[in-house]
Amino acid sequence: LGRGLWISVQVAVLGIFFGLAVGILVAVARTSGNRILSRCGLIYVEVMRNSPSLVKMYFIYFGLPSFGLFPSAFLSAVVALSLHNAAYMAEIFRGGLQAVSHTQQEAARSLGMNSLQTFWYVLFPQAFRNALPAFSNNWVEIVKDTSLTSALAVKELFYVVSNLISSTMRSFEFLGVLALIYLFLTSMLAGGMRFVESRTKYRR
């Protein structure tokens, strides 16, 4: 169970990190003045949100070998979860960006900041703060979605518990423990995010 839990944590952390990175890039593309970039960002969001993450895992793991690429089950799971949840994070961050007043951007430009400096020092911190509550909900979902990776035989927590049930026939005990572990993980993550939110609120 300990080894399975460690694999689940790795998948969740990597999925959150890469999903956030891709999501921010897509959100920036969606809010840019370039129509091509904005349309590409919209297409990405719609395709990813309207297809199951499990299908993406199967496509990467079983489909890419047709093109000479042979990703491991672990890598396929992380990539699929990252790409799937990046679409949701992109929309969350886009909402955070749009909540920042345009006068903030104008003030930054008046101080001589270029577009990159304006985004990194003015827009990004405020947008990220606005998006934190919704981000925390999405990240909790990623933790729970790590159980889907058992379909690729990734030896994470749910896969280990399924094997233990098959070998011992003690389903109630192991499923109860599994539920408690997931409850502990998601509660810790949600509590940590609430603490971060409280520390990043605007001071009046």
Side-chain angles (χ1 to χ4, degrees):
L1 286 174
R3 288 193 294 269
L5 175 60
W6 174 234
I7 296 296
S8 294
V9 170
Q10 290 181 65
V11 172
V13 170
L14 291 173
I16 290 171
F17 177 80
F18 289 112
L20 181 62
V22 174
I24 289 174
L25 292 177
V26 173
V28 172
R30 291 270 282 123
T31 55
S32 70
N34 188 306
R35 291 187 63 184
I36 296 177
L37 281 178
S38 180
R39 185 57 59 88
C40 289
L42 176 61
I43 292 172
Y44 175 87
V45 169
E46 292 302 318
V47 169
M48 291 296 138
R49 286 198 308 182
N50 295 305
S51 58
S53 55
L54 187 58
V55 172
K56 298 182 186 72
M57 291 181 195
Y58 273 65
F59 179 82
I60 295 170
Y61 188 62
F62 296 110
L64 291 186
S66 300
F67 301 94
L69 300 174
F70 299 89
S72 66
F74 181 87
L75 179 60
S76 300
V78 170
V79 172
L81 282 179
S82 299
L83 294 178
H84 179 79
N85 287 281
Y88 294 93
M89 292 192 225
E91 290 300 277
I92 291 170
F93 191 72
R94 184 171 69 91
L97 280 173
Q98 293 177 336
V100 180
S101 173
H102 288 291
T103 57
Q104 301 266 351
Q105 188 171 351
E106 294 168 2
R109 292 292 178 84
S110 69
L111 293 174
M113 291 185 179
N114 58 34
S115 298
L116 182 60
Q117 290 173 323
T118 300
F119 174 79
W120 186 250
Y121 294 110
V122 179
L123 299 180
F124 179 82
Q126 297 182 71
F128 194 82
R129 185 187 298 117
N130 294 335
L132 265 180
F135 273 151
S136 63
N137 291 333
N138 181 254
W139 295 350
V140 166
E141 289 299 318
I142 292 177
V143 172
K144 293 186 289 186
D145 284 348
T146 58
S147 60
L148 296 175
T149 64
S150 63
L152 301 183
V154 176
K155 294 181 175 63
E156 47 75 56
L157 188 59
F158 184 77
Y159 180 87
V160 171
V161 168
S162 297
N163 286 342
L164 288 171
I165 291 174
S166 298
S167 60
T168 64
M169 303 304 293
R170 298 174 65 179
S171 57
F172 181 83
E173 295 91 332
F174 281 115
L175 288 175
V177 170
L178 178 66
L180 289 175
I181 293 175
Y182 277 123
L183 178 62
F184 173 77
L185 288 177
T186 54
S187 298
M188 289 290 291
L189 177 58
M193 292 304 299
R194 282 195 296 270
F195 174 76
V196 173
E197 290 171 31
S198 68
R199 301 293 295 179
T200 57
K201 284 183 179 178
Y202 288 107
R203 304 296 182 185
R204 295 186 181 274

